[in-house]
Amino acid sequence: MRIKGYNGFPSLPLYMLQNTGMRGRDQNGEVYHSNDYFCANSIDGANIEQWADSHRNLLGQINPNDRRTWIKAWSGIYLSNFYELNDGTRYRFDFTFPACSGVTTSENASNWNVQDQTIAIECIRNYYVVGVRVWGLFYGIMFDMYYNTYIEGALTEQRCGRFYKFSGGINNFQTESTLYLQGSIYPYGSGTPTKPPLIPSQVLTESYYLMTAYLCTDFGGSVYNEKQTGDTSESGGGDGNYGDEDTDEIPDDGTPTISAISSGFVSLYNPTPAQLLGLRDFLYNADASIIEKWMRLTDNAFNYLIGLKLFPCQPVRGAISAISLGGVESEITAYKVGNQYKTIDCGSVNVQECYGGFLDYTNTSVKIYLPFCGEMELDTPIVMHGTVNLKYKVDFLTGDCMACVTVTDNHGVVNSQVYFSDGNCACDIPLTGRNDITSLTSILGAGMSMITGGVSGAIGAITNPEQFNPKVQRVGNISGAVGMLGQYTPYIIIQRPAQSFPANNNMLLGRPSNIGGRVDRFSGYTEIEYIKLDGIQATDSELEEIRQLLADGVYI
Amino acid sequence: MNVTFSKNNSDKRYLNKTLTNQLNVTGVSLYDSTSVTAPVLKVSGGPSKIANYNYVYIPDFDRYYYITDFTVENGYILVSCKVDVLMSYKDNIMLCDCIAKRNENEFNFYLHDEKFKTLAYENIFIHAFGRPFTKISEFILTVQG
């Protein structure tokens, strides 16, 4: 078929030959894959049919399944924007080839400058970076000639994906105006390329992975090959701050400075058993004036007793004072608890390496038993080769306790609290036979009802729930506190492997090394994982045998 | 051609073999078609001449060989050989850059060693902290006010 040109292009016939895999964009920007490529006759108007006939054999060498894109390069001619097929389909085919003075159809064009020319080099994978100098050896199929031409220059800009802009010169260019570019990219060197190509031409016969030379316009149009569906891999990484990272110390934070005691609504006492008995008697035998004072807020003096607990440790004691209930001092004195919280330092344990090697880490487990909190696994790499300090923080109002583990002088962790475990170390002692929260709920749910029973006795129907005023919440249940029955001494359990290590192990097996250098720096039994066998005039099979023997282990 | 028979007392894995009782023999030919890596030498004379040797150096090939077999044929001793690539190229091998996976003398015990063996049981160690609690319990009374 014939194609007529537009936009001032001389009306040269263009023939489309089959199965070349070229793609482009039509006037709407849609990718168009014609499976054909264009060729054109020379600017002197030679008959394209005759040209085609004379080159049929040569063109027949083109693999019809070859998906390279062949682009016509013209000297001083713009192949312009649109080409219309006979059926009216427009095919946008953008490229330019610079006009260059001194180039004619009959002269050699040495050092032909193609600085203005954007030859997009599609490169396979990540072989190239901008700035690299390359040879481009292009097999030019000349009009009436078959000639090899090479281009030398540099990749100056990465276009999209694997496409690079190339700027350079074409040497030894002889043309009759038509030049099909297909070729290889070589490492830069002087003279004709002698090294094997980085991207050899024979690779080009493989579908999809191609090196294809394009000529693409600087005006934004391009001839596209395969649609890019991902980013080209590039080298990078390795720029972390290894060796420069600091570690912060996370020391113990202490306990709150403001506690429930500070509110004045609750008080904690540390009575002896005898003092508790005395308080009990006081409550049972209080005279009427005291009872009247208590009745201002509650109908039951026991309501002033919020809780009674047994602790396995002594609180911070304040002054000895009379136990006050609802603002009424009793006759019983006891230590007042000076601080709701107390920190108990249990000391430190050194967790030392036994073997000085991997056995201390990958095959060793470390656990800590914490009274009232349970058992906890510690990360061996964190605590090994360090000092483990344990502190208990106890809340004498709730009975809660927290075990805080600090690790110091480890390979990385320095004086930081890294483990926490909570529990409850108090045993609740019931003071009454009922739970006020439960009672209030049942009253509200049932509406007006009688409350009978209980230690305090019947108090009559409640018409207004607000009159039933346990302003404090009592705990009347016995807590589990099974910890009270258990072990009170915290300890660390280290489970270490028992190694089986023959005396001649190193001589016969060696030990993991991962040390680099020349072979002659090593001595004794050696297994070589990676080696560069340079300068050995051996056969291929001998080299392979050397590599295998070294990997299996040799004596140096 | 000339060859040098010797006795190798070293483990095959040594790069540099310890060779003793070296015997130079002249007039040795190659048996039929032979490869440079597995030649068969044709030595005149009786088996006792070289039967006690297990190693040979062939200058023409510039290689050292293990002797893998002796065969007697028509008054000749046929010596089957296999190239010792380590001894033959030891000087060049020593100059090559490498990364050692295991070594007898230079190693880091903190690298995991899959060849290390441990017993089925473990050693258990217990280290106690100071005791924060006492079996002598304390009452704590919480009151309103």
Short mmCIF file of all heavy atoms in Angstrom, two decimals, chain A residues 337-371:
data_model
loop_
_atom_site.label_atom_id
_atom_site.label_comp_id
_atom_site.label_asym_id
_atom_site.label_seq_id
_atom_site.Cartn_x
_atom_site.Cartn_y
_atom_site.Cartn_z
N VAL A 337 0.11 4.86 106.39
CA VAL A 337 0.95 4.62 105.22
C VAL A 337 1.34 5.96 104.62
O VAL A 337 0.50 6.78 104.27
CB VAL A 337 0.20 3.77 104.17
CG1 VAL A 337 1.03 3.63 102.90
CG2 VAL A 337 -0.12 2.39 104.75
N GLY A 338 2.65 6.19 104.52
CA GLY A 338 3.13 7.48 104.06
C GLY A 338 3.02 7.68 102.56
O GLY A 338 2.87 8.79 102.07
N ASN A 339 3.06 6.60 101.81
CA ASN A 339 3.01 6.74 100.35
C ASN A 339 2.23 5.56 99.80
O ASN A 339 2.45 4.41 100.20
CB ASN A 339 4.43 6.76 99.78
CG ASN A 339 4.46 7.21 98.33
OD1 ASN A 339 3.51 7.01 97.57
ND2 ASN A 339 5.57 7.81 97.93
N GLN A 340 1.30 5.87 98.93
CA GLN A 340 0.49 4.80 98.34
C GLN A 340 1.36 3.80 97.58
O GLN A 340 1.04 2.62 97.49
CB GLN A 340 -0.55 5.40 97.39
CG GLN A 340 -1.44 4.37 96.69
CD GLN A 340 -2.40 5.01 95.71
OE1 GLN A 340 -2.64 6.22 95.75
NE2 GLN A 340 -2.96 4.22 94.82
N TYR A 341 2.49 4.28 97.05
CA TYR A 341 3.33 3.44 96.21
C TYR A 341 4.66 3.19 96.90
O TYR A 341 5.18 4.01 97.66
CB TYR A 341 3.59 4.10 94.85
CG TYR A 341 2.35 4.54 94.14
CD1 TYR A 341 1.98 5.88 94.10
CD2 TYR A 341 1.53 3.61 93.50
CE1 TYR A 341 0.83 6.29 93.45
CE2 TYR A 341 0.38 4.02 92.84
CZ TYR A 341 0.03 5.36 92.82
OH TYR A 341 -1.10 5.77 92.18
N LYS A 342 5.22 2.06 96.52
CA LYS A 342 6.55 1.75 97.02
C LYS A 342 7.30 0.99 95.94
O LYS A 342 6.73 0.12 95.26
CB LYS A 342 6.48 0.89 98.29
CG LYS A 342 7.85 0.57 98.88
CD LYS A 342 7.73 -0.27 100.13
CE LYS A 342 9.11 -0.57 100.71
NZ LYS A 342 9.04 -1.42 101.92
N THR A 343 8.56 1.35 95.80
CA THR A 343 9.42 0.66 94.85
C THR A 343 10.38 -0.21 95.64
O THR A 343 11.07 0.28 96.54
CB THR A 343 10.20 1.65 93.98
OG1 THR A 343 9.27 2.44 93.24
CG2 THR A 343 11.10 0.90 93.00
N ILE A 344 10.43 -1.47 95.28
CA ILE A 344 11.31 -2.42 95.95
C ILE A 344 12.36 -2.88 94.95
O ILE A 344 12.02 -3.45 93.90
CB ILE A 344 10.53 -3.64 96.48
CG1 ILE A 344 9.40 -3.17 97.40
CG2 ILE A 344 11.46 -4.59 97.22
CD1 ILE A 344 8.44 -4.28 97.79
N ASP A 345 13.61 -2.58 95.25
CA ASP A 345 14.69 -2.98 94.35
C ASP A 345 15.13 -4.40 94.72
O ASP A 345 15.58 -4.65 95.85
CB ASP A 345 15.87 -2.01 94.48
CG ASP A 345 16.89 -2.20 93.37
OD1 ASP A 345 16.97 -3.32 92.82
OD2 ASP A 345 17.61 -1.24 93.05
N CYS A 346 15.01 -5.30 93.76
CA CYS A 346 15.35 -6.70 94.02
C CYS A 346 16.79 -7.02 93.64
O CYS A 346 17.20 -8.19 93.68
CB CYS A 346 14.42 -7.62 93.24
SG CYS A 346 12.69 -7.31 93.58
N GLY A 347 17.53 -6.02 93.21
CA GLY A 347 18.92 -6.27 92.87
C GLY A 347 19.09 -6.68 91.42
O GLY A 347 18.18 -6.56 90.60
N SER A 348 20.29 -7.15 91.09
CA SER A 348 20.65 -7.43 89.70
C SER A 348 21.26 -8.82 89.57
O SER A 348 21.79 -9.39 90.53
CB SER A 348 21.67 -6.40 89.20
OG SER A 348 21.13 -5.10 89.27
N VAL A 349 21.15 -9.32 88.36
CA VAL A 349 21.74 -10.60 88.01
C VAL A 349 22.52 -10.40 86.72
O VAL A 349 22.02 -9.79 85.78
CB VAL A 349 20.65 -11.68 87.82
CG1 VAL A 349 21.21 -12.90 87.09
CG2 VAL A 349 20.05 -12.08 89.16
N ASN A 350 23.73 -10.90 86.68
CA ASN A 350 24.50 -10.85 85.44
C ASN A 350 24.19 -12.07 84.59
O ASN A 350 24.25 -13.20 85.07
CB ASN A 350 26.00 -10.84 85.74
CG ASN A 350 26.42 -9.52 86.34
OD1 ASN A 350 25.87 -8.48 86.03
ND2 ASN A 350 27.40 -9.57 87.23
N VAL A 351 23.84 -11.82 83.35
CA VAL A 351 23.60 -12.92 82.41
C VAL A 351 24.79 -12.98 81.49
O VAL A 351 24.93 -12.16 80.57
CB VAL A 351 22.30 -12.69 81.61
CG1 VAL A 351 22.04 -13.86 80.68
CG2 VAL A 351 21.13 -12.49 82.56
N GLN A 352 25.64 -13.92 81.74
CA GLN A 352 26.91 -13.96 81.02
C GLN A 352 26.88 -15.00 79.92
O GLN A 352 26.15 -15.99 79.97
CB GLN A 352 28.04 -14.31 82.00
CG GLN A 352 28.26 -13.26 83.07
CD GLN A 352 28.60 -11.90 82.47
OE1 GLN A 352 29.42 -11.79 81.56
NE2 GLN A 352 27.95 -10.87 82.95
N GLU A 353 27.72 -14.73 78.92
CA GLU A 353 27.90 -15.73 77.88
C GLU A 353 28.66 -16.91 78.46
O GLU A 353 29.56 -16.74 79.27
CB GLU A 353 28.69 -15.14 76.70
CG GLU A 353 27.95 -14.04 75.96
CD GLU A 353 28.79 -13.46 74.84
OE1 GLU A 353 29.99 -13.80 74.77
OE2 GLU A 353 28.27 -12.67 74.04
N CYS A 354 28.28 -18.06 78.00
CA CYS A 354 28.99 -19.27 78.45
C CYS A 354 30.03 -19.68 77.41
O CYS A 354 31.14 -20.06 77.77
CB CYS A 354 27.97 -20.39 78.67
SG CYS A 354 28.70 -21.97 79.11
N TYR A 355 29.67 -19.60 76.14
CA TYR A 355 30.54 -20.09 75.09
C TYR A 355 31.25 -18.97 74.33
O TYR A 355 32.18 -19.21 73.58
CB TYR A 355 29.74 -20.93 74.09
CG TYR A 355 29.09 -22.13 74.75
CD1 TYR A 355 27.73 -22.13 75.05
CD2 TYR A 355 29.83 -23.26 75.07
CE1 TYR A 355 27.14 -23.22 75.65
CE2 TYR A 355 29.24 -24.35 75.67
CZ TYR A 355 27.89 -24.32 75.96
OH TYR A 355 27.30 -25.41 76.56
N GLY A 356 30.74 -17.75 74.51
CA GLY A 356 31.33 -16.67 73.73
C GLY A 356 31.07 -16.81 72.25
O GLY A 356 31.92 -16.49 71.42
N GLY A 357 29.89 -17.30 71.93
CA GLY A 357 29.59 -17.52 70.51
C GLY A 357 28.10 -17.64 70.28
O GLY A 357 27.27 -17.28 71.12
N PHE A 358 27.78 -18.19 69.12
CA PHE A 358 26.37 -18.24 68.71
C PHE A 358 25.53 -19.11 69.63
O PHE A 358 24.32 -18.89 69.77
CB PHE A 358 26.26 -18.75 67.27
CG PHE A 358 26.52 -20.22 67.11
CD1 PHE A 358 25.46 -21.10 67.02
CD2 PHE A 358 27.81 -20.72 67.07
CE1 PHE A 358 25.68 -22.47 66.88
CE2 PHE A 358 28.04 -22.07 66.94
CZ PHE A 358 26.98 -22.95 66.84
N LEU A 359 26.16 -20.07 70.29
CA LEU A 359 25.40 -20.94 71.19
C LEU A 359 24.78 -20.15 72.34
O LEU A 359 23.79 -20.58 72.94
CB LEU A 359 26.30 -22.04 71.75
CG LEU A 359 26.67 -23.16 70.79
CD1 LEU A 359 27.65 -24.12 71.45
CD2 LEU A 359 25.44 -23.93 70.33
N ASP A 360 25.39 -19.01 72.68
CA ASP A 360 24.84 -18.20 73.77
C ASP A 360 23.59 -17.46 73.35
O ASP A 360 22.92 -16.86 74.19
CB ASP A 360 25.88 -17.18 74.24
CG ASP A 360 27.06 -17.86 74.91
OD1 ASP A 360 26.82 -18.75 75.75
OD2 ASP A 360 28.20 -17.50 74.58
N TYR A 361 23.30 -17.47 72.06
CA TYR A 361 22.18 -16.67 71.59
C TYR A 361 21.12 -17.50 70.92
O TYR A 361 19.95 -17.49 71.33
CB TYR A 361 22.69 -15.58 70.64
CG TYR A 361 23.58 -14.59 71.36
CD1 TYR A 361 24.95 -14.81 71.48
CD2 TYR A 361 23.03 -13.46 71.95
CE1 TYR A 361 25.74 -13.92 72.17
CE2 TYR A 361 23.82 -12.56 72.64
CZ TYR A 361 25.18 -12.80 72.75
OH TYR A 361 25.97 -11.93 73.44
N THR A 362 21.49 -18.24 69.89
CA THR A 362 20.46 -18.95 69.14
C THR A 362 20.01 -20.23 69.84
O THR A 362 18.96 -20.75 69.54
CB THR A 362 20.98 -19.31 67.74
OG1 THR A 362 22.17 -20.09 67.86
CG2 THR A 362 21.29 -18.06 66.96
N ASN A 363 20.80 -20.75 70.74
CA ASN A 363 20.43 -22.00 71.40
C ASN A 363 20.21 -21.84 72.89
O ASN A 363 20.11 -22.83 73.60
CB ASN A 363 21.52 -23.06 71.15
CG ASN A 363 21.64 -23.41 69.69
OD1 ASN A 363 22.19 -22.63 68.90
ND2 ASN A 363 21.12 -24.55 69.30
N THR A 364 20.17 -20.63 73.37
CA THR A 364 20.03 -20.38 74.80
C THR A 364 18.75 -19.57 75.04
O THR A 364 18.48 -18.62 74.32
CB THR A 364 21.25 -19.59 75.32
OG1 THR A 364 22.42 -20.38 75.15
CG2 THR A 364 21.08 -19.24 76.80
N SER A 365 17.99 -20.00 76.04
CA SER A 365 16.77 -19.26 76.38
C SER A 365 16.90 -18.72 77.80
O SER A 365 17.54 -19.33 78.66
CB SER A 365 15.53 -20.16 76.28
OG SER A 365 15.55 -21.14 77.29
N VAL A 366 16.31 -17.57 78.01
CA VAL A 366 16.35 -16.91 79.31
C VAL A 366 14.93 -16.56 79.73
O VAL A 366 14.20 -15.92 78.97
CB VAL A 366 17.20 -15.62 79.27
CG1 VAL A 366 17.28 -14.99 80.65
CG2 VAL A 366 18.60 -15.92 78.75
N LYS A 367 14.54 -17.03 80.90
CA LYS A 367 13.21 -16.71 81.42
C LYS A 367 13.38 -16.11 82.80
O LYS A 367 14.36 -16.36 83.50
CB LYS A 367 12.35 -17.97 81.51
CG LYS A 367 11.82 -18.44 80.17
CD LYS A 367 10.88 -19.61 80.32
CE LYS A 367 11.66 -20.91 80.40
NZ LYS A 367 10.81 -22.10 80.22
N ILE A 368 12.40 -15.33 83.19
CA ILE A 368 12.43 -14.73 84.52
C ILE A 368 11.14 -15.09 85.23
O ILE A 368 10.03 -15.00 84.66
CB ILE A 368 12.65 -13.20 84.45
CG1 ILE A 368 12.83 -12.63 85.86
CG2 ILE A 368 11.51 -12.50 83.72
CD1 ILE A 368 13.32 -11.19 85.85
N TYR A 369 11.27 -15.54 86.47
CA TYR A 369 10.09 -15.82 87.29
C TYR A 369 9.85 -14.61 88.16
O TYR A 369 10.75 -14.15 88.88
CB TYR A 369 10.29 -17.06 88.15
CG TYR A 369 9.24 -17.18 89.23
CD1 TYR A 369 7.94 -17.56 88.91
CD2 TYR A 369 9.53 -16.87 90.55
CE1 TYR A 369 6.96 -17.64 89.88
CE2 TYR A 369 8.56 -16.95 91.54
CZ TYR A 369 7.26 -17.33 91.19
OH TYR A 369 6.30 -17.39 92.16
N LEU A 370 8.63 -14.10 88.12
CA LEU A 370 8.27 -12.90 88.86
C LEU A 370 7.13 -13.25 89.81
O LEU A 370 6.02 -13.55 89.38
CB LEU A 370 7.83 -11.80 87.89
CG LEU A 370 8.89 -11.36 86.87
CD1 LEU A 370 8.27 -10.54 85.76
CD2 LEU A 370 10.01 -10.59 87.55
N PRO A 371 7.37 -13.21 91.11
CA PRO A 371 6.30 -13.51 92.06
C PRO A 371 5.11 -12.59 91.83
O PRO A 371 5.27 -11.40 91.61
CB PRO A 371 6.96 -13.23 93.42
CG PRO A 371 8.42 -13.39 93.18
CD PRO A 371 8.66 -12.95 91.78
#
